[in-house]
Structures are given as C-alpha cells and as structure tokens.
C-alpha cells in the first residue's frame, strides 16, 4: 500500500519495522467463515476450525477481526490471533479463552456448533508476523500462546532449522493450551500448580537468561504475547536480560 | 446482513456517544502498544515541532508546562472496538504550540512520532481548532507510562492509535505519509463515526 509514499523516519530511536506488507483488500473485506470443528484444549479454552474458502493466506503471528451479528443488526467484533499455520489452505483455526461474561467468547463456548457461520476480515497487522526468516524467541502466557503456536507449527511444517524457542506461562499443566503439541523447543512455566518436581512460580529472569545466553547468529527476534500485565512483565525481563528494545515485538490482548 | 445463529449480545445501550461497532469498556482501559513501554522521566521528555513551519522549536517539560493549561473531558474510541466515556485529560492545547511555530501555507499533514519511534500520520486540520492536546494528566494524576506518560498526543475525535503515546514531536508536511499502523493496513484518517478502521473502509 505504501510503495508510492515515502515514509518519515523519526529522529528518535527507530521503532521496530513491520515484517510484511498487509493487503488492503484482505483487510477491508468481510468473509463468511463456517465452523467445521470444535476441539477442547483446556477447561477454559477451545479451538474453533473454520472453512474460509477465499482466505488470502496469512503469516504466523497475524490476527483477524471477527464479528457476530444479532437478529436486530447489533454486531460485536473482536480481534483474534490465528492459531493455524499458513499452509492449511481454505481453513483457519482460532483458540478462544472463555472469558467470564464475555460477549463473543461466551457465544463460542456456550452456543457455537459446527455449521454455524460468523464473519472475519483479515489477516491484519504485519508487525507481529514471523515469516520464518530469523531466529525467534517466543514468550507467551495463557491464550497469548495462540499466535506463537502458529509460528511453532509453521516452523515444524517447514522442518526449519532456524532457531526457535517458546517460553510459555500457564496456571497449571491442565491449563496449558496445546500441551500435547509442545516439544523440545518449549519451556513451560506454571504459576499455580505444577507436576511433581517442577517449581511453581511466576516467569522470572532465571527463565529468560538461559535463552538469551544461547544467542543465535544475528540475535533473537523476540515475540511477546498475552495480557497487558504479562506483556509488561515479560518485556521488562527481556530488556533486563539484554534483549534490544527494537527487537521486541509485543501483541497485547488488552 | 449475516445473522449469527443464537447470538443475542449484550443488552443494547442507546448511547448517542457510541460510534458504530464500538462498546463501552466501562472502567477498563486496555493497553495495546506494540513496543516496550519506555522508562521516560519528565526530565528526559522533549517535544519538537518542525518541518514546514516558520520557526521550528523544541519544548522541554518545564517550557511546555508554562503554556496555558487546557483540559479535555469527553470520550475516547479505540479501533479494537472499546470506547471509554467521560475521561478527563489535562495538558496543553496543540494550538498553543502551533501558534508559536506557525505552519506554512503549504502545510497539509503531520507525522506525529514518539520517543520510542512509533509514528502516526494525521491531517493538520485534525490537530487545530481546539481538537488536539499534549496531555500529561489523567483524572488529575500524572499520566502513567503504560498510557503514554509522561506526555502523549490526544486527538479524541479520531481512533486512539492516532493519539501517539510518549509523544516526541510533530513533523509538518505538505503531503500524507503513513505511520506505523497505517503501514500495517490501518486507515489513514481513522474517524470512528465513519468506522474508518482499516485502509479501504
Ligand atoms: C490482537 C488481539 C488478539 C487477540 N487474540 C486472542 C486469542 O487468540 N484468543 C483469545 O481468547 N482472545 C484473544 N484476544 C482477546 C479478544 O479480542 C477478546 O477481548 C476476548 O475474547 C474477550 O471478548 P468477549 O467478547 O468474550 O468479552 P467482552 O464482552 O469483551 O468482555 C471482556 C470482559 O469485560 C467485561 N465487560 C465488558 N463490557 C462489559 C459491559 N458492557 N458490561 C459488563 N461487563 C463488561 C466482561 O464481563 C469481561 O470480563 C485478542 C485481542 C487482541 C487485541
């Protein structure tokens, strides 16, 4: 969209540039997404698989906007990260936490069933995208693991040897989304209860330090995702451990 | 209209102040910045206006506070679809700064930039006439760093990504140049009443 326009570079420290250009057409267009499958991930989270035949494709880390419409025309729209890897042609998967009293996540968790139709527009934001081109250090908590999982899945599907690590925080093993899919690249941190022999506690400098100690060539691009409180905490840990601020990308869920 | 089976949604609020597709976030004030929150003290904060102006100028914290104070009381609207009603920001009207630097006749647009390097573009007309502020107080208290403190741009009649946090300066131009989110598919102007969320809306 910007090829004909120069862009101003501020005299301040340069902000993290976007990773890809975003298609205006895809971002502008509402498309029907048909729910084809629901998979429970944890007691509070489930994955929703949709058929979106004309989906333009996405990069791991991108999100979309989803809207539900009531009989009287009232709409509710929210952003959701895309959980699936890009190669799942014509299909996308989202993983939603059931937010207490939540208008949109509540509908998904209590009403939705295969065959239902919702609308989506996207993919959006090239900033949090990871094209798979450089070493990635992924840090998430709760449903913040969703866009990071798309990266992990992409990495696996490509059999990529680009270094990739995932540090993920969950309340307990039962609350760890995608637990059965996580592998050697992942270090889980449990904040309320853990399997025997695994310490319980908040993500700390001691979790981040070993990852930054093994600097890959060119350094890590860090991707942090979760609630604002978690994003603040994790990004401070990264900065304190020496990760440059202009190589930290943050996706806050609000 | 594509009705979603079984979706009723929340009780309808008939609030004339709520732009289309927005909901009232109540006491919540979500934070959505994409970069690390900077540790910027008032002593390190500066605000510069340059580009197509008669007299480019930089203000430090003290100098900016010497300008006549001004308050915004009203609503703010985020593109992620929450709105927040009855907020109160304190600072200085942007007109006070622009009166000093005097934009040239050719000036049409502005890139606002932050101490982090975040950028956002705006038509100059959206920043004049008492509709934009440099704000350093929220509800009578210093603006917290998560919300853009020590000082942020405040342009409440546009979606809130235009209200650059940790504001460092304005570059006045004779053409439009997309900023950070605008290069990432967001609308060039971002008027919530016309639902200008993404480019093409
Ligand atoms: C870029 C991005 C990506 C995201 N990705 C994901 C993801 O992958 N997975 C995921 O689960 N979430 C994700 N989120 C969060 C998601 O967008 C929603 O915020 C979340 O699902 C809650 O929406 P909801 O409609 O269920 O809840 P809401 O109805 O918005 O409610 C949220 C909370 O506010 C309270 N509340 C809000 N309005 C009112 C009101 N008027 N009256 C009373 N209470 C109110 C509710 O009780 C609840 O506690 C993402 C957010 C962003 C910004």
């Amino acid at each position: 969209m910007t090829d004909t326009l120069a862009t101003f570079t501020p005299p301040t420290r340069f902000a993290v540039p976007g990773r890809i250009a975003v298609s205006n057409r895809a971002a502008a267009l509402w498309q029907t997404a048909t729910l084809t499958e629901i998979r429970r991930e944890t007691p509070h989270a489930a994955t929703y698989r949709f058929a979106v035949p004309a989906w333009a494709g996405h990069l791991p880390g991108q999100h979309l906007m989803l809207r539900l419409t009531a009989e009287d025309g009232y709409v509710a729209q929210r952003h959701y990260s895309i959980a699936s890897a890009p190669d799942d042609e014509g299909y996308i998967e989202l993983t939603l936490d059931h937010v207490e009293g939540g208008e949109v996540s509540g509908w998904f968790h209590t009403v939705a069933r295969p065959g239902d139709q919702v609308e989506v527009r996207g993919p959006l934001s090239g900033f949090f995208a990871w094209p798979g081109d450089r070493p990635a250090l992924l840090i998430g908590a709760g449903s913040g693991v969703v866009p990071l999982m798309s990266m992990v899945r992409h990495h696996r599907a490509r059999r990529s040897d680009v270094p990739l690590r995932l540090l993920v925080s969950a309340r307990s093993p039962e609350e760890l989304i995608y637990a059965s899919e996580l592998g050697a690249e992942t270090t889980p941190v449990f904040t309320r209860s853990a399997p025997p022999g695994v310490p319980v506690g908040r993500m700390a400098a001691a979790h981040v330090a070993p990852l930054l100690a093994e600097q890959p060539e060119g350094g890590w691009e860090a991707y942090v995702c979760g609630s604002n409180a978690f994003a603040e905490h994790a990004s401070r840990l990264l900065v304190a451990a020496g990760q440059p601020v202009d190589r930290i990308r943050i996706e806050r869920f609000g | 209209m594509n009705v979603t089976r079984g979706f009723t949604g929340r009780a309808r609020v008939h609030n004339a102040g709520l732009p289309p597709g927005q909901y009232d976030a109540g006491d919540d004030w979500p934070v959505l910045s994409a970069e690390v929150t900077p540790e910027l003290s008032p002593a390190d904060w500066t605000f510069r206006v340059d580009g197509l102006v008669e007299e480019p100028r930089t203000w430090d914290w003290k100098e900016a506070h010497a300008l006549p104070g001004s308050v915004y009381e009203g609503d703010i609207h985020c593109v992620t679809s929450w709105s927040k009603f009855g907020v109160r920001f304190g600072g200085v009207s942007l007109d006070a700064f622009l009166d000093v630097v005097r934009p040239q006749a050719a000036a049409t647009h502005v890139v606002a930039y932050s101490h982090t390097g975040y950028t956002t573009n705006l038509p100059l007309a959206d920043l004049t006439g008492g509709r934009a502020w440099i704000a350093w107080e929220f509800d009578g208290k210093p603006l917290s760093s998560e919300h853009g403190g020590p000082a942020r741009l405040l342009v409440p009649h546009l979606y809130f990504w235009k209200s650059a946090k940790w504001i460092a300066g304005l570059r006045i131009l004779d053409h439009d140049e997309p900023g950070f989110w605008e290069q990432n598919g967001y609308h060039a102007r971002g008027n919530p009443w016309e639902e200008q969320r993404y480019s093409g809306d």
Side-chain angles (χ1 to χ4, degrees):
Chain A
M1 65 181 271
T2 61
D3 19 33
T4 55
L5 290 173
T7 49
F8 167 74
T9 304
T12 41
R13 180 173 48 202
F14 191 61
V16 194
R19 301 305 314 278
I20 54 157
V22 172
S23 153
N24 290 335
R25 253 195 73 254
L29 195 73
W30 284 104
Q31 301 188 59
T32 299
T34 306
L35 188 56
T36 60
E37 188 193 335
I38 303 176
R39 292 198 310 271
R40 181 137 298 281
E41 299 283 356
T42 71
H44 294 109
T47 291
Y48 299 85
R49 182 171 176 80
F50 299 90
V52 191
W55 184 248
H58 61 273
L59 281 179
Q62 287 193 281
H63 59 257
L64 51 69
M65 197 162 210
L66 182 147
R67 90 176 163 196
L68 306 181
T69 306
E71 300 263 1
D72 63 351
Y74 170 86
V75 298
Q77 45 191 351
R78 302 285 186 272
H79 283 117
Y80 290 102
S81 299
I82 302 164
S84 45
D87 348 74
D88 201 2
E89 229 157 89
Y91 288 87
I92 50 171
E93 293 187 357
L94 308 178
T95 301
L96 272 65
D97 245 342
H98 190 175
V99 174
E100 205 56 55
E103 190 172 38
V104 174
S105 67
W107 179 84
F108 272 99
H109 278 268
T110 61
V111 180
R113 62 177 188 227
D116 282 343
Q117 295 190 323
V118 302
E119 288 172 291
V120 296
R121 66 192 295 192
L124 305 172
S125 178
F127 168 77
F128 200 72
W130 181 67
D133 58 337
R134 51 174 90 169
L137 177 56
L138 318 178
I139 305 189
S143 55
V145 70
V146 173
L148 310 180
M149 194 63 206
S150 177
M151 301 178 192
V152 172
R153 287 169 167 161
H154 184 56
H155 189 257
R156 290 212 186 121
R158 287 267 189 97
R159 298 176 193 282
S160 167
D161 53 12
V162 174
L164 176 133
R165 298 282 179 279
L166 171 62
L167 181 59
V168 58
S169 172
R171 290 207 174 90
S172 65
E174 301 71 49
E175 298 283 350
L176 179 61
I177 301 175
Y178 313 127
S180 66
E181 267 186 79
L182 302 174
E185 76 289 317
T186 301
T187 311
V189 176
F190 298 110
T191 57
R192 301 277 168 80
S193 67
V198 177
V200 172
R202 205 172 181 213
M203 193 176 286
H207 296 109
V208 175
L211 297 167
L212 286 181
E214 48 161 322
Q215 281 286 329
E217 203 182 319
W220 295 109
E221 194 79 20
Y223 291 79
V224 175
C225 186
S227 66
N228 176 53
F230 176 78
E232 285 291 305
H233 176 65
S235 61
R236 281 203 205 103
L237 289 177
L238 280 171
V239 171
Q243 176 72 8
V245 284
D246 58 357
R247 306 256 345 241
I248 303 177
R249 294 163 193 275
I250 308 179
E251 184 88 295
R252 303 175 202 244
F253 283 1
Chain B
M1 186 168 81
N2 291 308
V3 175
T4 315
R5 183 192 61 81
F7 176 69
T8 46
R10 269 189 218 301
R12 310 291 183 261
V13 270
H14 293 286
N15 185 334
L18 202 61
Q22 296 291 109
Y23 71 94
D24 178 359
D27 292 335
D28 284 354
W29 189 2
V31 174
L32 294 151
S33 21
E35 70 268 59
V36 178
T37 301
E39 282 176 31
L40 186 67
S41 72
D44 293 330
W45 179 84
T46 53
F47 176 62
R48 177 169 177 82
V49 186
D50 61 14
L52 294 178
V53 297
E54 297 303 334
E55 236 178 279
R57 157 108 206 239
T58 304
W59 286 263
D60 65 16
W61 187 252
K62 252 197 175 148
E63 292 162 344
H65 281 67
L67 295 167
S70 173
V71 163
Y72 169 72
E73 277 189 271
D75 312 330
I76 55 177
H77 311 289
C78 174
V79 69
T80 63
S81 74
W82 56 265
S83 291
K84 198 168 164 56
F85 289 104
V87 299
R88 189 187 151 92
F89 284 96
V92 169
S93 168
L94 210 54
D95 293 311
F97 297 93
L98 294 172
D99 286 348
V100 174
V101 299
R102 287 172 283 129
Q104 296 170 5
T108 57
H109 289 81
V110 172
V111 179
Y113 58 97
S114 295
H115 283 274
T116 60
Y118 174 87
T119 56
T120 186
N121 51 306
L122 302 111
L124 179 58
D126 277 315
L127 296 179
T128 55
R131 299 201 294 168
W133 288 260
I134 298 299
W136 41 67
E137 265 177 31
F138 180 74
D139 271 348
K141 297 193 196 77
L143 185 63
S144 70
S145 58
E146 278 181 354
H147 291 301
R152 76 181 297 160
L153 179 63
L154 175 68
V155 193
H157 68 284
L158 300 179
Y159 283 127
F160 219 45
W161 90 79
K162 296 287 184 182
S163 295
K165 295 178 178 183
W166 317 295
I167 188 72
L170 305 179
R171 171 71 49 90
I172 315 272
L173 305 167
D174 61 3
H175 60 280
D176 202 7
E177 282 189 15
F180 176 80
W181 286 117
E182 294 82 3
Q183 291 168 53
N184 275 290
Y186 284 70
H187 198 275
R189 173 133 191 269
N191 178 356
W193 296 98
E194 289 173 15
E195 253 198 297
Q196 295 169 338
R197 296 178 198 271
Y198 301 103
S199 174
D201 279 350

